[in-house]
Amino acid sequence: NIEPYKSYSAYFNVYMVYAVSDASGISDLTTTISTKFATKYTGSGNSTAMSVNLTTARTYALKAPLLDINNTVAIVIANSTRYGGTTYIHGGSSGLNTSICPLPSYYASYILQHEAGGHGFGNLADEYVTNTSAIPLTQINDLLSSQYYGTFMNVDTTGNLTRVLWNHFIGLSNYSYVNAYQGGDLYSLGVWRSEANSIMVNNIKY
């Protein structure tokens, strides 16, 4: 019921596959719980990092009548109210995107939109900032490598409006908010994003 999925719903399918775990809950750094996908919070404190058994996720995804496993995102709904979420993106034809989405009551839909919609379905990079420094060369090379496979096309290392990857949107009446804003891919300098605020910046709904 949100864009762009609402307008383009005829172009993709959604399937639900049930999996039964031995116990309820999700593992973390101090507790191990036997779950079907070995879902786990891998960081401490406020870390949102999570992991799953990607092989098992793929096995269960293949139970759905998929046309192309490489053009699919598997959404693992984690049975937890702790905030978190992680997406494993495989560019090109190398594999299945897998998003882990827990269910904290207020944030559940936002996590789903950011992780499964933004990262998993759209192959988008994070646009928020956690480092107040310039993006290092190693990270630039990683970004360029990802973009070679068609992922992370929503951030760029130039703010030149005639050269940014999304320049064809700038000036269109329906995209008046699209421009080049410095800060993205976790760094505040040397990288630009297409919107001041979006689902990839602060989990807002459109």
Side-chain angles (χ1 to χ4, degrees), residues 122-154:
N123 289 314
L124 302 179
D126 284 316
E127 295 181 0
Y128 56 79
V129 171
T130 57
N131 301 282
T132 57
S133 57
I135 185 170
L137 181 59
T138 54
Q139 186 74 7
I140 290 175
N141 289 335
D142 287 344
L143 176 60
L144 294 175
S145 177
S146 296
Q147 290 175 338
Y148 176 81
Y149 291 104
T151 63
F152 297 173
M153 304 299 282
N154 58 314

Side-chain angles (χ1 to χ4, degrees), residues 41-121:
Y41 289 96
T42 58
S44 59
N46 294 325
S47 173
T48 61
M50 302 182 74
S51 66
V52 294
N53 185 314
L54 295 175
T55 300
T56 307
R58 181 185 179 91
T59 298
Y60 270 77
L62 287 170
K63 294 178 183 292
L66 303 176
L67 296 177
D68 181 6
I69 190 69
N70 297 317
N71 195 25
T72 297
V73 53
I75 306 168
V76 178
I77 302 299
N79 184 13
S80 173
T81 58
R82 173 179 163 182
Y83 189 84
T86 297
T87 298
Y88 294 87
I89 297 178
H90 302 279
S93 60
S94 60
L96 170 77
N97 285 358
T98 305
S99 296
I100 314 165
C101 300
L103 297 172
S105 57
Y106 177 77
Y107 293 104
S109 64
Y110 298 97
I111 293 172
L112 190 69
Q113 291 162 33
H114 177 94
E115 294 295 339
H119 289 312
F121 190 88

Side-chain angles (χ1 to χ4, degrees), residues 149-165:
Y149 291 104
T151 63
F152 297 173
M153 304 299 282
N154 58 314
V155 293
D156 205 341
T157 55
T158 179
N160 186 321
L161 297 184
T162 64
R163 293 172 49 206
V164 290
L165 293 170

Side-chain angles (χ1 to χ4, degrees), residues 1-12 14 73 112-124 199-200 206:
N1 64 357
I2 65 167
E3 298 295 356
Y5 317 103
K6 183 178 180 179
S7 292
Y8 293 96
S9 61
Y11 294 89
F12 61 91
V14 179
V73 53
L112 190 69
Q113 291 162 33
H114 177 94
E115 294 295 339
H119 289 312
F121 190 88
N123 289 314
L124 302 179
I199 194 69
M200 304 315 294
Y206 284 104

